[in-house]
Amino acid sequence: MISNIASTAVSRRQALAGLGMASIAATLAACGGGGNSGKTTITYLSWETEEVARPLIDAFEDANPDIAIDFSYSAPTAGYFQTLQTRIAGNQQPTVHRINPETKEKLIGEGLVADLTDEPFMGAIADANLRAYEDDGKIYGASFGAWAAGVVYNRDLLAQAGADDVPQAWDEFLDLCKQLKGAGVTPYRESVQDIPSMFQAFLGAGYDLAGDERGEKKIFTGESTFAEEWPEPMKQWYRLYDEGIVGAESVSLTGTQLKEDFIAGNLAMFITGPWDLADIAASDLNWGISPMPAAPGGEPFATGAPDPGFAISASAQGEELEAAKKFITFLASQEGLRLANEHIGTLVNTSDFTVEVAPEYQGLYDDYLKTSKIYLPMNYWDHASDALQLEGIALCQQLVQGQITVEQVAAGMDTKLASL
């Protein structure tokens, strides 16, 4: 039985670890020994728990009886990449593992992952997903899903200001917020424990309108600076504070608090994504979700990003490499994508597969997620994205507290980048 194969592999690994026989384990894996005798074994460090990932692995092994997957799991995100780093340092890099924007610099830069550019399974992948794992014209991660966040709104509260949904022009959105506030309704709140989503969408919309697929990547090639890219869209977002719609409490608010406030009927609008929609749908609210309004001269857009990609170790050769490619080919198949949506909740955005989503989310899925009209700055930061993200959050918090200006936020990012 396939499930027994995996169980045998885990038991063997645990036993050998207990005996300190790592070198013997490596030999057995290379030979496809033990319970996987006669099979080609690939190691897979999963982003999902075994309970969630098992249906895909079982289906793959059923379709490929000559291949066995040696499964292991580490929780995302920081723990996962710490585990991956440890295994790479110990010369035990998994055959297949995940790659994301925060790790691609190391994985690609140090030649640790294989070039997947010309593999047939890359053919239906969305443009945004290809760009996320591209370097110098080559693609190193196969990503089949994405997320998109938008403005969730309470239809009944908006009706108190005569609105049916979220205005798609920024000036009209600000006017609606003021009308709601005048009617005693809390119109809009956000958390500045991340770089504000509305600002991120303004950035993405601007690049999309200009046909610029590199986004902020050009800051890292020396062709631009944060001081050139950030101030104009940030000034538009900051009107929320300049015009008294929201206040410095945004610094301490969490996403959970915003969701709870919204579900309690105390908040007309906030920004969130698929992770909160089940809880909102379970409430009695009359609600909807909209893309971000368009800043002057721009277009509505969505904050969002491709899912982490599947990468193959650059050290995989021969039958192991071919088996890894077959595994990713299966994940990209109609059956693999269906299982990923059913068991993992992947919002598949390939050109050959469509998933069923909540009716309220359908417009965001069809018009933004599926068409790559999503943007997350960190996906375009070529290095030190973690440190830069923390700096960006700190600077935005100082801004909404009135301690610095928009220009000083942008200059601070350039200073931080220069120091890294």
Side-chain angles (χ1 to χ4, degrees):
M1 295 291 290
I2 290 158
S3 57
N4 290 339
I5 290 170
S7 298
T8 302
V10 171
S11 298
R12 186 182 73 238
R13 186 170 61 251
Q14 290 170 334
L16 292 175
L19 294 171
M21 298 175 67
S23 60
I24 297 177
T27 302
L28 287 174
C31 297
N36 296 329
S37 179
K39 299 173 183 282
T40 299
T41 298
I42 58 173
T43 52
Y44 170 44
L45 179 60
S46 174
W47 187 268
E48 290 83 22
T49 64
E50 183 160 13
E51 179 183 5
V52 172
R54 179 52 58 188
L56 281 91
I57 294 172
D58 285 352
F60 168 73
E61 291 182 327
D62 277 343
N64 297 272
D66 57 335
I67 300 173
I69 292 182
D70 185 354
F71 177 93
S72 59
Y73 163 74
S74 186
T77 329
Y80 184 93
F81 289 108
Q82 180 60 48
T83 300
L84 179 60
Q85 176 72 20
T86 301
R87 291 178 65 170
I88 291 172
N91 200 28
Q92 295 290 325
Q93 182 177 354
T95 315
V96 177
H97 58 78
R98 293 298 188 101
I99 180 172
N100 77 346
E102 287 80 9
T103 56
K104 73 174 189 179
E105 178 195 4
K106 174 180 176 59
L107 293 173
I108 298 172
E110 297 184 9
L112 295 168
V113 287
D115 175 10
L116 305 180
T117 311
D118 297 325
E119 298 300 329
F121 53 72
M122 303 296 284
I125 291 180
D127 289 345
N129 296 51
L130 292 175
R131 288 197 296 271
Y133 303 108
E134 180 271 340
D135 184 72
D136 198 22
K138 297 179 180 179
I139 315 295
Y140 295 88
S143 168
F144 307 114
W147 61 269
V151 181
V152 173
Y153 59 100
N154 181 319
R155 294 183 188 276
D156 294 334
L157 291 180
L158 259 61
Q160 295 186 28
D164 296 326
D165 52 25
V166 177
Q168 294 296 276
W170 186 232
D171 285 340
E172 293 176 11
F173 177 85
L174 296 175
D175 287 344
L176 172 62
C177 287
K178 293 169 187 173
Q179 290 177 46
L180 287 167
K181 195 168 183 177
V185 174
T186 303
Y188 171 82
R189 300 180 92 183
E190 64 181 10
S191 170
V192 188
Q193 294 193 4
D194 199 348
I195 297 173
S197 295
M198 194 74 80
F199 163 63
Q200 296 181 37
F202 288 170
L203 276 171
Y207 292 127
D208 185 67
L209 199 62
D212 183 350
E213 295 186 349
R214 295 182 304 160
E216 288 159 279
K217 186 167 291 195
K218 54 182 170 288
I219 295 173
F220 295 79
T221 62
E223 300 167 79
S224 187
T225 63
F226 284 103
E228 292 179 71
E229 304 294 324
W230 274 28
E232 289 310 312
M234 181 165 279
K235 285 177 182 174
Q236 288 297 330
W237 158 73
Y238 189 63
R239 289 173 64 190
L240 287 165
Y241 298 85
D242 253 354
E243 299 179 20
I245 295 168
V246 295
E249 72 277 4
S250 298
V251 169
S252 59
L253 287 173
T254 66
T256 299
Q257 287 174 299
L258 294 171
K259 179 181 71 175
E260 291 174 348
D261 241 15
F262 183 80
I263 289 176
N266 299 324
L267 175 62
M269 296 178 283
F270 80 110
I271 294 172
T272 192
W275 50 90
D276 278 339
L277 300 189
D279 289 341
I280 294 171
S283 71
D284 293 330
L285 293 178
N286 180 18
W287 66 283
I289 183 167
S290 163
M292 314 291 185
E299 294 180 348
F301 219 69
T303 306
D307 291 346
F310 292 89
I312 298 176
S313 168
S315 64
Q317 301 292 325
E319 292 182 353
E320 182 187 12
L321 176 59
E322 292 308 309
K325 290 180 179 178
K326 284 185 177 180
F327 180 44
I328 299 182
T329 298
F330 174 78
L331 296 176
S333 70
Q334 299 291 294
E335 176 68 357
L337 295 173
R338 182 188 68 77
L339 290 169
N341 174 249
E342 181 178 341
H343 295 280
I344 302 174
T346 303
L347 291 177
V348 178
N349 65 338
T350 61
S351 61
D352 60 353
F353 196 89
T354 296
V355 301
E356 184 175 342
V357 298
E360 293 86 353
Y361 195 72
Q362 193 69 55
L364 210 60
Y365 177 71
D366 289 340
D367 300 334
Y368 294 86
L369 192 150
K370 290 279 287 186
T371 61
S372 294
K373 293 185 74 171
I374 53 177
Y375 189 80
L376 196 73
M378 289 69 77
N379 279 9
Y380 296 81
W381 296 354
D382 272 1
H383 63 270
S385 60
D386 284 354
L388 281 170
Q389 185 175 6
L390 290 174
E391 185 71 5
I393 294 167
L395 290 165
C396 287
Q397 290 182 345
Q398 292 175 51
L399 174 63
V400 303
Q401 291 173 315
Q403 298 169 0
I404 59 176
T405 65
V406 164
E407 287 76 12
Q408 286 173 315
V409 172
M413 291 295 288
D414 284 322
T415 300
K416 183 67 177 180
L417 178 58
S419 72
L420 297 172

